[in-house]
Amino acid sequence: MENTKELTEHSSRVERKRRDSFGMFDGYDSCSEDTSSSSSSDESEEEVAPLPSSLPIIKNNGQVYTYPDGKSGMATCEMCGMVGVRDAFYSKTKRFCSVSCSRSYSSNSKKASILARLQGKPPTKKAKVLQKQPLVAKLAAYAQYQATLQNQAKTKAAVPVEGFSWGNYINSNSFTAAPVTCFKHAPMGTCWGDIAEGVRVEVPNTDCSLPTKVFWIAGIVKLAGYNALLRYEGFENDSSLDFWCNICGSDIHPVGWCATSGKPLVPPRTIQHKYTNWKAFLVKRLTGAKTLPPDFSQKVSESMQYPFKTSMRVEVVDKTHLCRTRVAVVESVIGGRLRLVYEESEDKTDDFWCHMYSPLIHHIGWSRSIGHRFKRSDITKKQDGHFDAPPHLFMKVKEVDAAGEWFKEGMKLEAIDPLNLSAICVATIRKVLADGYLMIGIDGSEAADGSDWFCYHATSPSIFPVGFCEINMIELTPPRGYAKLPFKWFDYLRETDSIAAPVKLFNKEVPNHGFHVGMKLEAVDLMEPRLVCVATVTRIIHRLLRIHFDGWEDEYDQWVDCESPDLYPVGWCQLTGYQLQPPAPQSSRDSQSSSSKQKKKAKSQQYKGHKKMTSLQLKEELLDGEEYSFLQGASDQESNGSASYYIKQEP
C-alpha cells in the first residue's frame, strides 16, 4: 500500500515538473484545460493540460532553472533583473549576477530593516518573502501583486480614441517621444530604471490558434513614452508581427514570470517550425539580456496611488477672477489630475481641472496666511463628508529670503500671460505678498480694480528679468496701445519712471530635463485644462518649453516649464484612463485659421478657449463685499535705486 502511495506521489511530482524553465513546452497542439494546475496567478481560469512524458522538459526551481540531468540552466538576478547562465551567477544560491548586485541587495535589506526598527515597525511582508519564505510563499506574494494590478486595470480602463493610435502616428512619421524620465510627477517617472531598446519581456502570444491564453518572449524595438514597439523572439529582422503596447500594462511581465506563475510559453505559429530546439534558442538569446525588475508591476501600482481623495476641500484660483482664490471640493482624481468643483456650485458644473502638484491649488487657510485675496463661500459650514486636505499634500515652494534686497511694487519684469500662454509680456509687480508670493499685472491690459492680477511665486519659472526675451530671441508682447515700436526696454523704463526687478532675484536653475526639440508628448491645454492633447516640443529656452498642439495653429502654442505637472509621457492617457485629444482634423484647422486671420487673438472682455467654445470671463463688475483681502504679512521696502537693468544700454 505504501509503495503504491509513493508511486502515485512520484507520478504527481513528475507531472508538475513537466513544464520547463521558461514555462515552455513543445507539443502545444494537444493543449486542453488542466483542472489540476498549481498556478497561483490571477488568470487561473486559463490552464494548460498535462504534457506528454516524451517531451524534453526543465524543472522549475523558482527563479533559478536547472535541467533534469543536473546541467546548468538559467537564472534571473534578484537585484538588477539580468538573465544569465546559472553557473556564471554569484554565490551558492545563484541569486545574483555579480558581487556588486549581492552587496547592493544586502545593503538595501539592512537599510530597510534598520529603518523599520527606528520607526517601530515590524519587517515588511516583502522583506520576509525575499529573505525567509519558501517558494510557495514567494509565488503567492507575487500573485497578490499581480491581482492588485489587475484590479486597478479594471477600475481604470483605458479610454480609446477612435481613429487615433500613438503607435501608427509615431511609425508613419518617424517621430520620437520624450522619455518617461522627463516627467518626475508621472507614474514610474522616478523609478523607470534602464528600460530601453533590447529589454526582453513576456507577453501574450496573439499569433496562436490555441483556445487558452499563452505567452511568448518579445524584445523592445522602440520606446515612445510608456509605449513600446515589441517583436517576438525568433522573428529576427522580420517586423511583420511587431506590435505596440503599454509597457506598464497588466499583460507585460519580466522574463521568468511564466515559469513562476505556471503559464505556458508557446512560440508564435508563424515561426514555430523555424527552430527544432526552442529551449536552446531561448537560452542563447536570453543569456546576458535585460528584463523588467521582478517587482515592476508592484512599482507601477504603487506609483499610481494618489494622496488626494474625493470630498477633500482646497483653495484654488477663481477662474473668473484670477486675483483671488475660492474653496473647491475634489470631485474626482484621474492619474493625479483633480476635478475640483467650486463649493457654491449646487449642480457641480462649475469646475476646474488641475494636477495635484499644480501651483494653483493650496491648503485651506493659505490665502489668509500670505495676504492673498479670497472669495468667501456662501456655505457657512462644511457639508457632510467634506474635509480639509492636509497641508503636507501640496507642492512645497522653495523658501526665499525677503529680508534683504527683494521685489518691490512697481518693478518691471517679463511674464507669461496666464490668459494667453503663447505670449511673454511686459509686466509689473503690483503687490508683494508674504512667503515670496507676488501679484503680477500685464502692462496695458489691466482692469482698474486689479481683478486680472495673478499670483506667481518669486521662484516661479514663468517670470523673467527684463531683457530675457531679447537675449533669447523670443518675441516680447509690448503693452497694448504702446505706439513706440519696436519696443525698447531702455526707453520704456525711462518713460514710465520705473526700474527693472534685479536679475539676481529670479530663479536661474536649469535642470537636466532631457527634452529635445521635436519630441512628442501628451500635454494639457491650459486654456481648457480638462483637455489633454497630442503635442510636440518645438522650442527649448533653458528650462522653458514651447508646446505645440498637433493639428492646431502656432498661435495656440503655450510656454510651459520643463517640470510642469501638466506634461505627460506618450501613453499616459491610456495608462490612467484619461481621454486623449487627437490632432485636430483638417476642417477644424481651416475654421480656426480663418477666424484667427480675421481677428488676431488678444485679451478682451472675454477669452475663448480654442477647443471649448464657452467663454472665460476675464473682467467682471467690481468685486463685491463677499471678497476679503487679508492683511499682508510682509512689508514693502523702499527702493535703493541700485537695480541693475538686464538690457542692452542704448547710446
Side-chain angles (χ1 to χ4, degrees):
M1 188 66 180
E2 291 182 1
N3 291 338
T4 304
K5 184 178 181 181
E6 288 177 2
L7 287 173
T8 303
E9 290 178 353
H10 176 73
S11 175
S12 177
R13 284 197 299 271
V14 170
E15 195 70 33
R16 288 196 300 268
K17 292 177 180 178
R18 279 178 180 164
R19 190 167 290 124
D20 66 21
S21 68
F22 299 105
M24 174 183 169
F25 60 93
D26 297 327
Y28 56 85
D29 289 5
S30 60
C31 239
S32 62
E33 187 175 359
D34 177 13
T35 58
S36 62
S37 172
S38 60
S39 168
S40 61
S41 168
D42 53 312
E43 299 173 35
S44 57
E45 70 276 4
E46 299 172 353
E47 301 299 345
V48 181
L51 307 180
S53 59
S54 60
L55 290 178
I57 58 175
I58 305 176
K59 291 192 294 184
N60 175 13
N61 185 24
Q63 285 289 315
V64 179
Y65 315 118
T66 56
Y67 293 92
D69 60 5
K71 294 181 180 179
S72 62
M74 305 295 291
T76 301
C77 178
E78 292 185 14
M79 185 64 199
C80 70
M82 177 175 284
V83 178
V85 177
R86 180 179 185 271
D87 282 352
F89 269 45
Y90 177 73
S91 80
K92 294 181 180 179
T93 59
K94 307 300 182 185
R95 294 167 60 196
F96 309 103
C97 66
S98 65
V99 177
S100 175
C101 280
S102 176
R103 288 176 178 172
S104 298
Y105 183 89
S106 177
S107 176
N108 290 344
S109 299
K110 289 177 181 177
K111 288 178 182 177
S113 178
I114 292 170
L115 182 61
R117 291 194 192 101
L118 290 175
Q119 295 176 342
K121 299 177 180 178
T124 62
K125 291 182 179 179
K126 183 180 176 184
K128 289 180 181 178
V129 168
L130 290 175
Q131 296 169 18
K132 297 181 180 180
Q133 294 298 325
L135 176 61
V136 174
K138 291 182 182 180
L139 298 182
Y142 191 79
Q144 185 177 1
Y145 297 153
Q146 293 296 319
T148 301
L149 191 65
Q150 289 281 357
N151 292 336
Q152 187 177 50
K154 292 175 183 177
T155 57
K156 295 185 177 180
V159 181
V161 178
E162 186 176 356
F164 179 77
S165 163
W166 262 121
N168 295 337
Y169 192 56
I170 289 174
N171 275 349
S172 60
N173 298 281
S174 298
F175 291 141
T176 58
V180 174
T181 51
C182 290
F183 310 88
K184 305 302 182 188
H185 57 281
M188 301 298 292
T190 58
C191 53
W192 188 247
D194 53 357
I195 299 175
E197 295 177 7
V199 166
R200 306 302 208 282
V201 292
E202 292 181 351
V203 295
N205 178 6
T206 57
D207 183 28
C208 183
S209 57
L210 294 176
T212 185
K213 190 173 186 178
V214 295
F215 294 79
W216 189 240
I217 295 172
I220 298 178
V221 178
K222 184 175 183 178
L223 266 181
Y226 293 117
N227 292 348
L229 181 63
L230 299 179
R231 181 174 300 167
Y232 289 123
E233 282 295 337
F235 275 80
E236 307 301 337
N237 296 321
D238 181 1
S239 61
S240 59
L241 285 186
D242 288 3
F243 59 98
W244 285 91
C245 70
N246 195 303
I247 206 72
C248 294
S250 58
D251 266 339
I252 312 299
H253 309 284
V255 172
W257 176 85
C258 283
T260 59
S261 302
K263 297 299 178 183
L265 279 176
V266 177
R269 180 173 50 186
T270 303
I271 59 170
Q272 62 178 297
H273 302 299
K274 190 173 181 180
Y275 297 96
T276 56
N277 189 338
W278 279 103
K279 286 184 291 297
F281 168 79
L282 288 182
V283 169
K284 181 179 179 180
R285 291 302 299 267
L286 297 180
T287 299
K290 286 278 189 178
T291 187
L292 300 178
D295 60 347
F296 183 76
S297 61
Q298 180 193 4
K299 287 183 178 179
V300 172
S301 179
E302 291 173 351
S303 68
M304 294 180 66
Q305 303 300 317
Y306 307 105
F308 280 85
K309 308 300 179 184
T310 55
S311 300
M312 281 186 173
R313 299 171 75 244
V314 301
E315 289 185 9
V316 63
V317 66
D318 184 344
K319 64 182 181 182
T320 60
H321 284 79
L322 298 184
C323 67
R324 68 187 183 187
T325 57
R326 297 168 63 183
V327 173
V329 179
V330 178
E331 181 68 19
S332 60
V333 183
I334 304 178
R337 294 197 65 76
L338 312 178
R339 179 177 178 258
L340 303 172
V341 175
Y342 290 114
E343 201 168 47
E344 301 92 332
S345 178
E346 294 182 359
D347 58 0
K348 296 186 178 183
T349 58
D350 190 10
D351 62 359
F352 184 82
W353 281 90
C354 68
H355 193 272
M356 62 183 183
Y357 294 148
S358 170
L360 299 178
I361 62 170
H362 310 276
H363 62 85
I364 298 296
W366 173 83
S367 297
R368 180 183 296 276
S369 68
I370 71 159
H372 194 283
R373 287 179 177 177
F374 176 77
K375 183 179 185 297
R376 185 180 63 183
S377 173
D378 292 332
I379 300 175
T380 56
K381 64 178 181 179
K382 298 178 188 176
Q383 296 184 17
D384 291 341
H386 292 177
F387 58 102
D388 297 349
H392 72 268
L393 298 185
F394 298 85
M395 195 67 175
K396 300 295 187 294
V397 293
K398 184 184 297 184
E399 292 186 4
V400 295
D401 181 13
E405 187 176 10
W406 192 241
F407 292 102
K408 300 175 179 64
E409 287 186 18
M411 282 183 172
K412 299 294 183 182
L413 69 164
E414 299 175 3
I416 296 176
D417 184 352
L419 298 176
N420 181 8
L421 294 162
S422 66
I424 299 179
C425 306
V426 174
T428 303
I429 296 174
R430 292 305 179 189
K431 192 175 182 181
V432 180
L433 308 179
D435 296 341
Y437 288 95
L438 310 169
M439 296 303 295
I440 307 293
I442 300 298
D443 286 21
S445 303
E446 297 176 67
D449 58 2
S451 60
D452 57 356
W453 295 353
F454 48 95
C455 184
Y456 278 142
H457 193 263
T459 60
S460 169
S462 297
I463 59 174
F464 317 96
V466 162
F468 174 84
C469 285
E470 182 180 1
I471 287 176
N472 293 289
M473 293 179 288
I474 300 173
E475 182 181 357
L476 176 67
T477 302
R480 180 188 290 183
Y482 187 75
K484 198 172 180 180
L485 301 176
F487 178 84
K488 298 288 185 181
W489 264 117
F490 187 85
D491 295 336
Y492 186 69
L493 291 173
R494 185 170 48 195
E495 292 166 6
T496 57
D497 192 25
S498 54
I499 62 172
V503 177
K504 66 181 181 181
L505 299 182
F506 292 85
N507 180 10
K508 292 181 277 295
E509 293 183 6
V510 181
N512 184 18
H513 48 70
F515 286 102
H516 297 287
V517 171
M519 281 183 169
K520 296 293 178 182
L521 68 162
E522 298 177 3
V524 175
D525 175 5
L526 292 170
M527 302 314 300
E528 279 297 339
R530 65 185 177 85
L531 303 180
V532 178
C533 312
V534 173
T536 308
V537 177
T538 57
R539 194 174 179 192
I540 302 175
I541 306 295
H542 306 305
R543 62 181 300 147
L544 198 61
L545 309 180
R546 181 81 169 178
I547 301 299
H548 173 75
F549 297 104
D550 290 20
W552 294 90
E553 298 293 328
D554 292 348
E555 66 177 274
Y556 300 111
D557 291 0
Q558 296 177 2
W559 288 109
V560 181
D561 182 61
C562 65
E563 294 183 341
S564 168
D566 295 304
L567 303 178
Y568 306 103
V570 165
W572 178 86
C573 282
Q574 180 188 15
L575 177 64
T576 61
Y578 205 96
Q579 178 71 56
L580 176 66
Q581 303 298 317
Q586 185 63 42
S587 57
S588 298
R589 293 201 298 268
D590 292 341
S591 62
Q592 289 292 334
S593 178
S594 61
S595 63
S596 63
K597 289 177 181 177
Q598 294 173 6
K599 183 178 180 180
K600 187 72 176 177
K601 181 167 62 176
K603 269 202 294 185
S604 61
Q605 292 298 323
Q606 292 182 345
Y607 178 81
K608 294 184 177 181
H610 59 268
K611 297 181 180 67
K612 179 182 175 185
M613 301 311 293
T614 58
S615 62
L616 171 65
Q617 300 292 331
L618 300 185
K619 300 180 176 69
E620 296 182 353
E621 53 276 353
L622 292 176
L623 303 180
D624 53 29
E626 293 178 335
E627 179 186 341
Y628 282 24
S629 179
F630 297 118
L631 294 177
Q632 183 179 322
S635 60
D636 298 334
Q637 305 291 324
E638 291 296 328
S639 172
N640 59 14
S642 61
S644 60
Y645 296 128
Y646 195 68
I647 60 173
K648 296 179 180 178
Q649 298 292 332
E650 298 293 335

